[in-house]
Amino acid sequence: MGRHIGHNTVLTLHNQAMIEEILLHNKNFVAEKGYEKYITTKYPDKRLAIVTCMDTRLIELLPAALGLRNGDFKIIKNAGGTITNPFDSTMRSLLVAVYELGVNEIMVIGHTGCGVQGMNAAEMLHLMRKRGVSEEHITLMRHCGIDLDGWLHGFEDTSEAVSETVDLIGKHPLMAADVRVRGYIMDSTTGELSPVD
């Protein structure tokens, strides 16, 4: 009698195989001293921080399109490359970058075709339930005062979202007044930057 392997089990096995492959690569990378060309300090040479999206298309494209290398800048990534709360981890990271690491310029870079644009909280909750998150846990979050609909909702307009994030950073009560903050949209294919007013 054959045993049925569920979709989640297959995903878990695939993920474990990928992690093992990465660990093997890492062992070889260290043994062959592949790290030597990346050695730098924790202080960004260009005194720049970038807030951007975690989109896979930007991993190598963004630094290449901007002429930036390892050690030049701090990069803070999240879904959408925006700040939705003045006390979230992205804002905290920027304050650390400014006061502890010498950053004096911040770029907020959204991009074309962002998956967070138009993201729907109801659909996200549906996908959570489908992957095994219980209704009890969702209800518990709501009873704890978490606005899941607002927290999981995306934005409608990328330029507007970038502009709001720039404004939030620039007017944050704990941000140094001399830090320059600018917003841009990057073309996810060509890497071209367009300023956001």
Side-chain angles (χ1 to χ4, degrees):
M1 202 182 297
R3 192 171 139 215
H4 175 71
I5 298 178
H7 178 68
N8 287 343
T9 304
V10 171
L11 283 176
T12 301
L13 292 172
H14 173 72
N15 290 341
Q16 286 175 346
M18 182 53 66
I19 290 172
E20 294 305 319
E21 186 178 318
I22 289 169
L23 291 174
L24 179 60
H25 174 84
N26 177 255
K27 187 174 182 176
N28 293 332
F29 177 84
V30 173
E32 295 167 8
K33 299 187 188 243
Y35 56 84
E36 289 180 342
K37 66 181 181 179
Y38 301 104
I39 293 174
T40 187
T41 72
K42 66 181 180 179
Y43 299 97
D45 295 336
K46 297 193 182 292
R47 301 182 72 188
L48 171 70
I50 295 175
V51 175
T52 194
C53 186
M54 64 183 193
D55 193 287
T56 55
R57 294 169 289 184
L58 304 184
I59 291 173
E60 291 187 44
L61 176 65
L62 186 140
L66 303 181
L68 298 171
R69 299 178 341 178
N70 200 52
D72 282 346
F73 66 115
K74 295 293 180 185
I75 188 162
I76 304 155
K77 294 184 172 194
N78 64 33
T82 58
I83 299 174
T84 57
N85 180 317
F87 301 102
D88 72 4
S89 64
T90 300
M91 194 64 223
R92 178 178 178 267
S93 296
L94 286 173
L95 293 172
V96 169
V98 168
Y99 293 111
E100 294 287 334
L101 303 170
V103 162
N104 60 20
E105 291 185 279
I106 298 169
M107 296 174 77
V108 178
I109 303 178
H111 68 99
T112 58
C114 184
V116 177
Q117 184 174 2
M119 190 172 77
N120 181 291
E123 176 62 17
M124 179 77 78
L125 288 166
H126 168 73
L127 294 171
M128 288 179 183
R129 290 178 183 103
K130 198 171 169 184
R131 291 285 297 270
V133 175
S134 71
E135 196 62 45
E136 180 183 0
H137 286 143
I138 292 170
T139 302
L140 180 62
M141 294 291 118
R142 293 187 194 281
H143 285 308
C144 290
I146 307 298
D147 175 14
L148 292 176
D149 298 319
W151 187 55
L152 297 172
H153 183 71
F155 47 78
E156 299 307 317
D157 182 89
T158 304
S159 293
E160 187 177 304
V162 167
S163 183
E164 287 172 3
T165 296
V166 167
D167 193 52
L168 189 152
I169 295 168
K171 293 179 179 173
H172 196 282
L174 301 179
M175 182 55 70
D178 60 344
V179 172
R180 293 181 66 224
V181 187
R182 300 289 182 269
Y184 303 88
I185 303 290
M186 177 170 277
D187 185 293
S188 298
T189 302
T190 68
E192 181 180 9
L193 277 187
S194 301
V196 172
D197 297 324

